[in-house]
Each structure stands twice: as C-alpha cells, then as structure tokens.
Amino acid sequence: MFGIGMPELIIIMVIALIVIGPSKLPDLAKALGKGMSEFRKATQEIKESMDVNDELREAKEDLVDSISGLDDPLDLGPPTPSEDKDQKYEDFDEMLEDYEKAKSDPQKDGEELSQTEQSEKKADHEQ
C-alpha cells in the first residue's frame, strides 16, 4: 500500500487515537472514507470523459477519412495565382468566338486538321 507495513500502520493508529481521542476517531474515519470515495468517483468520471473524447476523436478521423478518402481533409481554399495564369480567355464570349473561327477555318496556324477531325467536321455539317 504506500510501503507501509503492519507495524507502521499500528503506530499511526495509536498516535491518531491519542491525538484525536476515542470519541472523535470514528467520525474522522467516516469522513476520511467518504472523502476517498468521492475522490475515486471523480477520478473515474475524468477517465470516462477522456475515453469519450478519444472515441469522438477516432470517429471524427474515420468520418473525415471516409468522406475524403485521404488521411487529411482536402484544402478547399481560394485558387492559387498559378491557376489563374493558365486561363487563355477573359470571358466566355472570347472562347465562343475562337471556337467559331476554328470551325470555319479548316487550317489553323498553317496546320492541317487530322483526318478524324475532318470527318467529324463533315458529319457535323451534313446534319
């Protein structure tokens, strides 16, 4: 128990009996027992709450893993400046104009369209 043997325990009890007196010793022992009981309950509740926190953390990690398929959640922040540089057109209208030009011109910048593209273009015009 704390490295206290039976002879030391008897000596402590005798000293407590002499100092406190025989009339108050039972009340003191009763109060000491209740205090130890409450301390055990409090420590048990703390352990249980820590276990619940661990279980919640594990459940959260499992949920994030199952949703994202990764160990860490995805970073859905704003796009980086390098992503903005890759844009060829300012707006949708410019893209449509370029598409119409490409449709009307079979050759673009001196390059001929492949035979597959030409056959697709003919099929589009026939419809």
Side-chain angles (χ1 to χ4, degrees):
M1 194 165 125
F2 299 113
I4 298 175
M6 189 56 111
E8 292 90 4
L9 195 57
I10 292 173
I11 291 173
I12 292 171
M13 288 182 164
V14 168
I15 292 173
L17 183 62
I18 293 171
V19 172
I20 296 174
S23 62
K24 293 195 177 188
L25 190 59
D27 293 334
L28 181 63
K30 188 176 181 182
L32 186 63
K34 284 184 180 179
M36 288 181 68
S37 172
E38 289 178 18
F39 181 74
R40 284 185 187 150
K41 284 182 185 178
T43 56
Q44 185 64 29
E45 288 176 4
I46 291 172
K47 286 180 184 177
E48 289 174 0
S49 69
M50 291 176 79
D51 290 341
V52 168
N53 287 340
D54 289 341
E55 291 174 7
L56 287 175
R57 187 179 325 111
E58 289 174 7
K60 181 181 176 184
E61 290 172 359
D62 289 343
L63 184 61
V64 166
D65 185 37
S66 65
I67 289 174
S68 66
L70 304 171
D71 292 336
D72 297 325
L74 296 174
D75 182 22
L76 299 175
T80 60
S82 65
E83 293 174 359
D84 293 338
K85 289 181 181 179
D86 295 341
Q87 292 182 353
K88 185 175 179 182
Y89 304 104
E90 290 292 322
D91 59 3
F92 186 70
D93 293 332
E94 286 183 22
M95 183 184 72
L96 284 176
E97 290 173 8
D98 193 31
Y99 174 73
E100 292 296 327
K101 286 179 186 177
K103 268 179 69 175
S104 63
D105 295 336
Q107 295 178 350
K108 182 177 180 182
D109 296 333
E111 297 176 9
E112 297 223 5
L113 295 176
S114 68
Q115 292 204 3
T116 308
E117 291 173 339
Q118 287 178 359
S119 63
E120 288 175 0
K121 195 170 186 178
K122 286 179 184 178
D124 288 340
H125 287 292
E126 289 174 2
Q127 292 177 355

